Amino acid sequence: MMETIYRTVIVFAAGYLFLRATGKKAVSQMHTFDLLYIFVLTNIISTPVEDEHVGKAIIYAGCTVILYKIFIRLALHNKLRWILYESPTVLIHNGDIDRKGLKKVRMPINELLSHLRVQGYVDTQNIAIAIMEETGNISVIPKADYRPVQPNDLNLSVKKEFLPIPLIMDGQIVYHNLKYLQLDREWLESELAKAGEKLENITLATLLEDRTLFIDNYEEKEHMGDPYYYKPGRDN
């Protein structure tokens, strides 16, 4: 029993290190050989859990990682990219459904309509072009008359977007964000004291554009009987 647990821990750790060495791309939106790489690596590193050849499996997994890295390098060259990656397929063009494109990707009409609804489009006539990318995702670009209004359309100038910076998550301080902002724990604790909050009671605290803290704690306000705060289920 202990030996099986020992093997599992070693294999899991080795697989994790190999995936970290590979990079985030392999586990995000996958191309064909990305998916193949994951399948092969998974089978290789899971074998020692039932077998004795832990060392061999790790060597094979290492070779697989190296091979995948080579493929990624080759894909950077324009001539080889079109061989290694599939070409995008047009599904709708200028409001007309491309039946050849649907047939090529083996997609029925109802599935296409479902993908469009997920992105907020219900009428194919309003779409300038819809494309299935090489990753399998569907990109939809509406006609000019049906796209969301942009500030430039109204000659409006807008301020730069500010991303709230998390300083506390689940009662734990995010020290690297404090360091980036050139702040320290003492400053954060003084801000919490001003707000009458305790660190362990905070779900999320973020620094806003005006250098103030937004704090979301574990407490929920009572809105009994207010229909705008209805929650499905039996916890009301």
Side-chain angles (χ1 to χ4, degrees):
M1 179 65 180
M2 289 301 298
E3 186 177 354
T4 301
I5 295 174
Y6 172 72
R7 285 189 205 156
T8 304
V9 170
I10 290 180
V11 169
F12 186 86
Y16 174 77
L17 292 174
F18 284 134
L19 287 175
R20 284 296 300 269
T22 301
K24 291 185 289 187
K25 180 182 180 297
V27 291
S28 56
Q29 300 299 326
M30 298 183 183
H31 295 281
T32 304
F33 61 86
D34 291 331
L35 192 58
L36 175 63
Y37 164 72
I38 295 298
F39 283 156
V40 172
L41 186 60
T42 301
N43 280 292
I44 290 174
I45 66 176
S46 63
T47 301
V49 177
E50 301 175 356
D51 206 345
E52 298 289 338
H53 306 293
V54 177
K56 285 185 178 180
I58 292 177
I59 293 173
Y60 293 152
C63 292
T64 303
V65 172
I66 293 171
L67 182 62
Y68 177 77
K69 288 276 196 178
I70 292 173
F71 269 99
I72 293 297
R73 283 284 184 180
L74 292 175
L76 296 176
H77 298 280
N78 287 329
K79 293 182 179 179
L80 294 174
R81 183 179 301 148
W82 299 108
I83 298 175
L84 297 175
Y85 290 129
E86 297 182 42
S87 299
T89 304
V90 176
L91 306 179
I92 299 177
H93 187 257
N94 197 30
D96 295 323
I97 296 175
D98 191 322
R99 294 184 178 276
K100 290 183 179 179
L102 287 178
K103 186 177 181 180
K104 182 178 179 181
V105 299
R106 300 179 181 85
M107 178 181 291
I109 294 290
N110 62 312
E111 186 177 341
L112 172 64
L113 297 177
S114 175
H115 283 289
L116 296 179
R117 288 194 298 271
V118 168
Q119 298 197 40
Y121 301 101
V122 295
D123 193 341
T124 58
Q125 298 179 78
N126 301 339
I127 296 172
I129 192 167
I131 301 173
M132 176 174 279
E133 306 291 355
E134 60 267 25
T135 58
N137 288 340
I138 295 179
S139 302
V140 181
I141 300 176
K143 292 181 179 178
D145 292 342
Y146 297 96
R147 66 177 174 81
V149 177
Q150 304 295 322
N152 284 338
D153 298 332
L154 305 175
N155 295 320
L156 296 177
S157 59
V158 295
K159 63 180 182 179
K160 188 176 181 180
E161 185 69 25
F162 180 83
L163 181 66
I165 303 173
L167 298 182
I168 301 174
M169 300 176 70
D170 288 326
Q172 297 183 5
I173 298 175
V174 185
Y175 284 102
H176 63 270
N177 284 347
L178 274 178
K179 182 179 179 181
Y180 172 79
L181 295 167
Q182 298 182 349
L183 300 172
D184 54 26
R185 181 180 179 124
E186 287 71 22
W187 173 87
L188 184 58
E189 289 179 341
S190 68
E191 292 296 312
L192 295 180
K194 292 177 185 177
E197 298 284 354
K198 293 183 178 180
L199 178 62
E200 59 271 17
N201 295 334
I202 296 176
T203 305
L204 176 67
T206 57
L207 186 73
L208 303 181
E209 188 174 8
D210 59 0
R211 305 291 287 188
T212 60
L213 277 182
F214 164 76
I215 298 174
D216 186 350
N217 55 28
Y218 293 135
E219 298 177 1
E220 292 188 15
K221 297 180 180 179
E222 292 293 335
H223 301 286
M224 186 63 69
D226 191 334
Y228 289 101
Y229 290 90
Y230 167 75
K231 294 187 296 184
R234 300 181 180 180
D235 297 330
N236 289 305

